[in-house]
mmCIF file of all heavy atoms in Angstrom:
data_model
loop_
_atom_site.group_PDB
_atom_site.id
_atom_site.type_symbol
_atom_site.label_atom_id
_atom_site.label_comp_id
_atom_site.label_asym_id
_atom_site.label_seq_id
_atom_site.Cartn_x
_atom_site.Cartn_y
_atom_site.Cartn_z
ATOM 1 N N PHE A 131 146.466 134.093 181.688
ATOM 2 C CA PHE A 131 145.276 133.409 181.200
ATOM 3 C C PHE A 131 144.050 134.316 181.151
ATOM 4 O O PHE A 131 142.987 133.881 180.703
ATOM 5 C CB PHE A 131 144.971 132.196 182.084
ATOM 6 C CG PHE A 131 146.130 131.242 182.214
ATOM 7 C CD1 PHE A 131 146.532 130.795 183.463
ATOM 8 C CD2 PHE A 131 146.824 130.806 181.104
ATOM 9 C CE1 PHE A 131 147.604 129.916 183.590
ATOM 10 C CE2 PHE A 131 147.887 129.940 181.217
ATOM 11 C CZ PHE A 131 148.284 129.488 182.451
ATOM 12 N N ASP A 132 144.173 135.552 181.609
ATOM 13 C CA ASP A 132 143.018 136.451 181.683
ATOM 14 C C ASP A 132 142.329 136.680 180.332
ATOM 15 O O ASP A 132 141.095 136.795 180.288
ATOM 16 C CB ASP A 132 143.433 137.800 182.283
ATOM 17 C CG ASP A 132 143.737 137.698 183.776
ATOM 18 O OD1 ASP A 132 143.415 136.657 184.385
ATOM 19 O OD2 ASP A 132 144.309 138.656 184.332
ATOM 20 N N PRO A 133 143.061 136.762 179.195
ATOM 21 C CA PRO A 133 142.376 137.027 177.919
ATOM 22 C C PRO A 133 141.621 135.822 177.358
ATOM 23 O O PRO A 133 140.856 135.976 176.401
ATOM 24 C CB PRO A 133 143.534 137.416 176.977
ATOM 25 C CG PRO A 133 144.685 137.745 177.864
ATOM 26 C CD PRO A 133 144.525 136.871 179.058
ATOM 27 N N LEU A 134 141.820 134.646 177.907
ATOM 28 C CA LEU A 134 141.257 133.443 177.290
ATOM 29 C C LEU A 134 139.728 133.395 177.296
ATOM 30 O O LEU A 134 139.136 132.982 176.287
ATOM 31 C CB LEU A 134 141.840 132.194 177.948
ATOM 32 C CG LEU A 134 143.312 131.928 177.616
ATOM 33 C CD1 LEU A 134 143.817 130.708 178.377
ATOM 34 C CD2 LEU A 134 143.504 131.727 176.113
ATOM 35 N N PRO A 135 139.044 133.771 178.382
ATOM 36 C CA PRO A 135 137.577 133.729 178.319
ATOM 37 C C PRO A 135 137.000 134.593 177.196
ATOM 38 O O PRO A 135 136.041 134.194 176.519
ATOM 39 C CB PRO A 135 137.159 134.250 179.702
ATOM 40 C CG PRO A 135 138.301 133.886 180.591
ATOM 41 C CD PRO A 135 139.526 134.082 179.740
ATOM 42 N N ALA A 136 137.586 135.767 176.985
ATOM 43 C CA ALA A 136 137.104 136.638 175.909
ATOM 44 C C ALA A 136 137.376 136.006 174.552
ATOM 45 O O ALA A 136 136.536 136.084 173.634
ATOM 46 C CB ALA A 136 137.776 138.011 175.998
ATOM 47 N N TYR A 137 138.535 135.378 174.405
ATOM 48 C CA TYR A 137 138.851 134.710 173.136
ATOM 49 C C TYR A 137 137.874 133.566 172.891
ATOM 50 O O TYR A 137 137.431 133.348 171.760
ATOM 51 C CB TYR A 137 140.287 134.188 173.172
ATOM 52 C CG TYR A 137 140.777 133.704 171.828
ATOM 53 C CD1 TYR A 137 141.053 134.613 170.816
ATOM 54 C CD2 TYR A 137 140.966 132.351 171.574
ATOM 55 C CE1 TYR A 137 141.495 134.178 169.577
ATOM 56 C CE2 TYR A 137 141.410 131.907 170.344
ATOM 57 C CZ TYR A 137 141.683 132.823 169.350
ATOM 58 O OH TYR A 137 142.110 132.393 168.112
ATOM 59 N N PHE A 138 137.548 132.830 173.936
ATOM 60 C CA PHE A 138 136.565 131.756 173.862
ATOM 61 C C PHE A 138 135.245 132.277 173.292
ATOM 62 O O PHE A 138 134.679 131.700 172.348
ATOM 63 C CB PHE A 138 136.370 131.182 175.272
ATOM 64 C CG PHE A 138 135.262 130.185 175.412
ATOM 65 C CD1 PHE A 138 135.518 128.825 175.314
ATOM 66 C CD2 PHE A 138 133.960 130.593 175.678
ATOM 67 C CE1 PHE A 138 134.488 127.898 175.468
ATOM 68 C CE2 PHE A 138 132.940 129.678 175.832
ATOM 69 C CZ PHE A 138 133.206 128.324 175.720
ATOM 70 N N GLN A 139 134.747 133.372 173.840
ATOM 71 C CA GLN A 139 133.479 133.935 173.384
ATOM 72 C C GLN A 139 133.585 134.484 171.963
ATOM 73 O O GLN A 139 132.679 134.285 171.137
ATOM 74 C CB GLN A 139 133.019 135.051 174.339
ATOM 75 C CG GLN A 139 132.775 134.596 175.772
ATOM 76 C CD GLN A 139 131.582 133.679 175.915
ATOM 77 O OE1 GLN A 139 130.733 133.611 175.032
ATOM 78 N NE2 GLN A 139 131.508 132.957 177.029
ATOM 79 N N GLN A 140 134.672 135.166 171.668
ATOM 80 C CA GLN A 140 134.833 135.795 170.357
ATOM 81 C C GLN A 140 134.874 134.775 169.225
ATOM 82 O O GLN A 140 134.402 135.043 168.118
ATOM 83 C CB GLN A 140 136.106 136.643 170.334
ATOM 84 C CG GLN A 140 136.027 137.888 171.186
ATOM 85 C CD GLN A 140 137.389 138.523 171.436
ATOM 86 O OE1 GLN A 140 138.403 138.084 170.872
ATOM 87 N NE2 GLN A 140 137.420 139.534 172.284
ATOM 88 N N ARG A 141 135.444 133.619 169.483
ATOM 89 C CA ARG A 141 135.571 132.603 168.434
ATOM 90 C C ARG A 141 134.386 131.642 168.395
ATOM 91 O O ARG A 141 133.891 131.295 167.314
ATOM 92 C CB ARG A 141 136.866 131.807 168.643
ATOM 93 C CG ARG A 141 138.117 132.583 168.408
ATOM 94 C CD ARG A 141 138.320 132.865 166.917
ATOM 95 N NE ARG A 141 138.884 131.687 166.257
ATOM 96 C CZ ARG A 141 138.383 131.131 165.136
ATOM 97 N NH1 ARG A 141 137.308 131.627 164.576
ATOM 98 N NH2 ARG A 141 138.972 130.086 164.575
ATOM 99 N N LEU A 142 133.897 131.211 169.555
ATOM 100 C CA LEU A 142 132.896 130.153 169.565
ATOM 101 C C LEU A 142 131.464 130.658 169.453
ATOM 102 O O LEU A 142 130.619 129.977 168.852
ATOM 103 C CB LEU A 142 133.058 129.302 170.825
ATOM 104 C CG LEU A 142 134.377 128.528 170.915
ATOM 105 C CD1 LEU A 142 134.377 127.621 172.138
ATOM 106 C CD2 LEU A 142 134.623 127.695 169.657
ATOM 107 N N GLN A 143 131.177 131.830 169.993
ATOM 108 C CA GLN A 143 129.810 132.338 169.864
ATOM 109 C C GLN A 143 129.405 132.549 168.408
ATOM 110 O O GLN A 143 128.331 132.089 168.000
ATOM 111 C CB GLN A 143 129.644 133.633 170.656
ATOM 112 C CG GLN A 143 129.298 133.413 172.119
ATOM 113 C CD GLN A 143 128.797 134.686 172.787
ATOM 114 O OE1 GLN A 143 128.089 135.482 172.181
ATOM 115 N NE2 GLN A 143 129.189 134.876 174.032
ATOM 116 N N PRO A 144 130.214 133.224 167.579
ATOM 117 C CA PRO A 144 129.811 133.387 166.175
ATOM 118 C C PRO A 144 129.706 132.052 165.433
ATOM 119 O O PRO A 144 128.836 131.891 164.568
ATOM 120 C CB PRO A 144 130.933 134.264 165.585
ATOM 121 C CG PRO A 144 131.526 134.964 166.760
ATOM 122 C CD PRO A 144 131.438 133.989 167.889
ATOM 123 N N ALA A 145 130.592 131.106 165.768
ATOM 124 C CA ALA A 145 130.538 129.797 165.114
ATOM 125 C C ALA A 145 129.216 129.109 165.403
ATOM 126 O O ALA A 145 128.539 128.602 164.492
ATOM 127 C CB ALA A 145 131.710 128.927 165.585
ATOM 128 N N LEU A 146 128.821 129.100 166.666
ATOM 129 C CA LEU A 146 127.558 128.469 167.031
ATOM 130 C C LEU A 146 126.373 129.266 166.501
ATOM 131 O O LEU A 146 125.377 128.689 166.046
ATOM 132 C CB LEU A 146 127.470 128.330 168.556
ATOM 133 C CG LEU A 146 126.160 127.749 169.102
ATOM 134 C CD1 LEU A 146 125.834 126.410 168.467
ATOM 135 C CD2 LEU A 146 126.239 127.615 170.619
ATOM 136 N N ARG A 147 126.467 130.582 166.541
ATOM 137 C CA ARG A 147 125.359 131.407 166.070
ATOM 138 C C ARG A 147 125.058 131.139 164.598
ATOM 139 O O ARG A 147 123.888 131.075 164.187
ATOM 140 C CB ARG A 147 125.660 132.892 166.278
ATOM 141 C CG ARG A 147 124.467 133.812 165.984
ATOM 142 C CD ARG A 147 124.809 135.264 166.258
ATOM 143 N NE ARG A 147 125.216 135.463 167.640
ATOM 144 C CZ ARG A 147 126.437 135.821 168.019
ATOM 145 N NH1 ARG A 147 127.376 136.009 167.105
ATOM 146 N NH2 ARG A 147 126.725 135.986 169.292
ATOM 147 N N SER A 148 126.090 130.952 163.795
ATOM 148 C CA SER A 148 125.876 130.687 162.372
ATOM 149 C C SER A 148 125.117 129.377 162.174
ATOM 150 O O SER A 148 124.235 129.282 161.314
ATOM 151 C CB SER A 148 127.215 130.649 161.632
ATOM 152 O OG SER A 148 128.001 129.536 162.038
ATOM 153 N N LEU A 149 125.439 128.367 162.974
ATOM 154 C CA LEU A 149 124.763 127.082 162.870
ATOM 155 C C LEU A 149 123.334 127.175 163.392
ATOM 156 O O LEU A 149 122.406 126.598 162.801
ATOM 157 C CB LEU A 149 125.539 126.019 163.647
ATOM 158 C CG LEU A 149 126.948 125.721 163.125
ATOM 159 C CD1 LEU A 149 127.677 124.798 164.092
ATOM 160 C CD2 LEU A 149 126.894 125.103 161.734
ATOM 161 N N LEU A 150 123.148 127.887 164.495
ATOM 162 C CA LEU A 150 121.807 128.072 165.044
ATOM 163 C C LEU A 150 120.901 128.823 164.065
ATOM 164 O O LEU A 150 119.742 128.426 163.854
ATOM 165 C CB LEU A 150 121.889 128.858 166.350
ATOM 166 C CG LEU A 150 122.045 128.076 167.653
ATOM 167 C CD1 LEU A 150 122.244 129.044 168.811
ATOM 168 C CD2 LEU A 150 120.848 127.179 167.909
ATOM 169 N N ASP A 151 121.412 129.886 163.471
ATOM 170 C CA ASP A 151 120.614 130.675 162.538
ATOM 171 C C ASP A 151 120.193 129.835 161.342
ATOM 172 O O ASP A 151 119.043 129.914 160.879
ATOM 173 C CB ASP A 151 121.401 131.897 162.064
ATOM 174 C CG ASP A 151 121.567 132.957 163.149
ATOM 175 O OD1 ASP A 151 120.887 132.849 164.184
ATOM 176 O OD2 ASP A 151 122.395 133.875 162.959
ATOM 177 N N ALA A 152 121.119 129.016 160.843
ATOM 178 C CA ALA A 152 120.800 128.173 159.684
ATOM 179 C C ALA A 152 119.755 127.128 160.044
ATOM 180 O O ALA A 152 118.815 126.870 159.276
ATOM 181 C CB ALA A 152 122.066 127.507 159.161
#
Side-chain angles (χ1 to χ4, degrees):
F131 305 131
D132 289 348
L134 289 177
Y137 190 71
F138 172 94
Q139 299 292 343
Q140 290 165 6
R141 292 288 280 129
L142 295 185
Q143 274 195 37
L146 177 55
R147 188 178 301 114
S148 67
L149 296 172
L150 270 174
D151 289 348

